[in-house]
Amino acid sequence: MTATSQQTTPRFAMLGLAAALVTGLLAGLAHAGTLEVLVLDKDGKPLPDAVVVVLPSAHGAAKKPLPLTANVNQEKMQFIPNVTVVGLGAKVRFTNNDAWDHHVRLTVPGAVTSANPSNDGMSLRLEGKSEGKPANSMVLALDKPGATGAVLLGCFIHGSMSGHVYVAESPWTVKTEANGIAVIEDVPDGAANLKVWHANQLAEKAQPALVVGAAPAKLTISLDVVPRRRRG
């Protein structure tokens, strides 16, 4: 009788521990929500290429980690894509597909100040693509978010060229599609701060605090932005 009790007690203890682990796992899976954000411009139209950043108070893991590699092409006097979102430390490959030379000029908005006038970023020159030969490219590592979260791309030779690489401070960062919508998944339940960035936004606009729950939530944000038309 005594021997049986000694063998049974540890077994029940292990079963109880396993049940507790399963319960904890299920609870962890339940404590995540989906947030759908519609971003509109000044005229109430869907705004593509806006970057939506969610900064939750609770800890958690994003379902889709931000990419740590990306490709930005220089083509037809444009940076394509015009806005690229990456994680901290990402390696970005810049490729010149035009027949003429381009620069890749990187500056951080807000980095040039009266106290630090020489902080004008960095630049590299990519030779134009020769017929029958591969396009020239170079990889740059972006190891810190910019002063406003974005790195401005430009070309000294062609002043009309511009683009952005957004180095996100939160894994819950998504760029809006053509319909102006960004869907952020697996956001931890609880309070969260929201940040919305756009290249044509003159100043950051304060956004309301959020409380994320298990049920999907939808939110509409309006920015004082009139997007410039891109050349086709």
Side-chain angles (χ1 to χ4, degrees), residues 19-167:
L21 290 173
V22 171
T23 302
L25 178 60
L26 291 175
L29 291 174
H31 289 286
T34 297
L35 183 64
E36 181 180 303
V37 180
L38 170 61
V39 182
L40 304 176
D41 65 16
K42 191 173 183 179
D43 296 329
K45 296 179 180 179
L47 187 61
D49 288 344
V51 178
V52 179
V53 183
V54 180
L55 299 162
S57 299
H59 296 290
K63 184 176 181 180
K64 297 179 181 178
L66 290 171
L68 293 179
T69 59
N71 296 301
V72 176
N73 294 317
Q74 293 174 311
E75 191 171 342
K76 296 180 180 179
M77 305 275 287
Q78 298 179 72
F79 287 97
I80 302 175
N82 189 254
V83 176
T84 301
V85 177
V86 295
L88 190 65
K91 294 182 178 179
V92 182
R93 179 178 295 276
F94 296 91
T95 302
N96 183 5
N97 289 301
D98 284 333
W100 45 84
D101 292 2
H102 285 309
H103 279 101
V104 177
R105 186 182 77 241
L106 291 88
T107 55
V108 178
V112 181
T113 65
S114 57
N116 193 15
S118 62
N119 190 0
D120 57 356
M122 63 172 294
S123 66
L124 56 92
R125 184 166 181 151
L126 290 174
E127 294 184 2
K129 186 178 184 301
S130 300
E131 188 175 351
K133 293 184 178 180
N136 291 297
S137 64
M138 185 171 291
V139 177
L140 295 177
L142 303 180
D143 58 357
K144 58 183 178 180
T148 62
V151 176
L152 173 65
L153 306 177
C155 176
F156 287 116
I157 305 172
H158 307 99
S160 63
M161 293 179 62
S162 66
H164 286 82
V165 176
Y166 194 103
V167 184

Side-chain angles (χ1 to χ4, degrees), residues 161-177:
M161 293 179 62
S162 66
H164 286 82
V165 176
Y166 194 103
V167 184
E169 64 271 48
S170 168
W172 293 279
T173 301
V174 177
K175 183 177 71 172
T176 58
E177 302 290 343

